[in-house]
Amino acid sequence: MANKKTETKKLLKNMEMRQQMAEDMKFYQYKEVINGTEYVFQYCGKRRSLQIIDECSDEKSNISKEKLLDAVFKTIIVSPNVNLDYFDQEEYMDDFDRVSEVANIIFGGKFRNNEALKG
């Protein structure tokens, strides 16, 4: 009987650890200074990522690149508050390519040990 209790405790502890890991991963943050501006990116979770893709798709499952990128920026970039128009300002035009690259890596959930991320 004691063996069953020990196994149950181990199982519950393992489940708690896995749940905490999932939460930690969901709220993963990455900071990078790009041309003097610090950008803070945050992973939104797989479910939210899929919801964003669905929201940016039409009835034939065609994805609007404009809507998708704007939604990714609004969801993934915690600071500063950006959208596509933000990068039309002269001082931020050069940031667009790198910010887009990092946002797409984080959005896709491929941030662990990713060499494209400096941190």
Side-chain angles (χ1 to χ4, degrees):
M1 188 69 158
N3 230 2
K4 275 264 197 218
K5 283 185 179 181
T6 304
E7 285 180 35
T8 303
K9 284 183 181 181
K10 284 182 182 178
L11 180 63
L12 289 173
K13 181 76 172 164
N14 189 23
M15 289 171 59
E16 288 171 4
M17 287 173 40
R18 291 180 68 193
Q19 187 174 17
Q20 185 60 51
M21 281 174 40
E23 285 300 310
D24 290 345
M25 187 180 85
K26 184 173 181 179
F27 297 109
Y28 169 86
Q29 281 194 344
Y30 172 74
K31 296 178 185 178
E32 185 172 322
V33 176
I34 301 169
N35 297 323
T37 302
E38 182 181 69
Y39 292 88
V40 180
F41 303 85
Q42 181 171 298
Y43 182 59
C44 63
K46 193 53 74 181
R47 179 178 303 278
R48 182 65 187 130
S49 296
L50 293 171
Q51 289 171 344
I52 289 169
I53 292 169
D54 287 345
E55 291 165 5
C56 297
S57 301
D58 65 15
E59 61 280 348
K60 295 181 181 177
S61 297
N62 297 316
I63 297 174
S64 166
K65 292 176 188 172
E66 176 191 1
K67 287 180 185 177
L68 180 62
L69 196 52
D70 219 18
V72 167
F73 284 169
K74 288 177 185 175
T75 306
I76 300 300
I77 303 172
V78 177
S79 174
N81 187 14
V82 304
N83 58 27
L84 285 173
D85 297 328
Y86 172 88
F87 296 101
D88 286 337
Q89 298 174 59
E90 188 173 341
E91 65 263 37
Y92 303 115
M93 284 180 176
D94 294 336
D95 299 4
F96 179 77
D97 289 336
R98 180 63 183 162
V99 170
S100 298
E101 178 185 15
V102 173
N104 282 313
I105 290 169
I106 303 295
F107 179 72
K110 296 180 170 83
F111 46 81
R112 288 190 178 176
N113 302 318
N114 191 316
E115 292 185 20
L117 301 179
K118 296 175 184 174

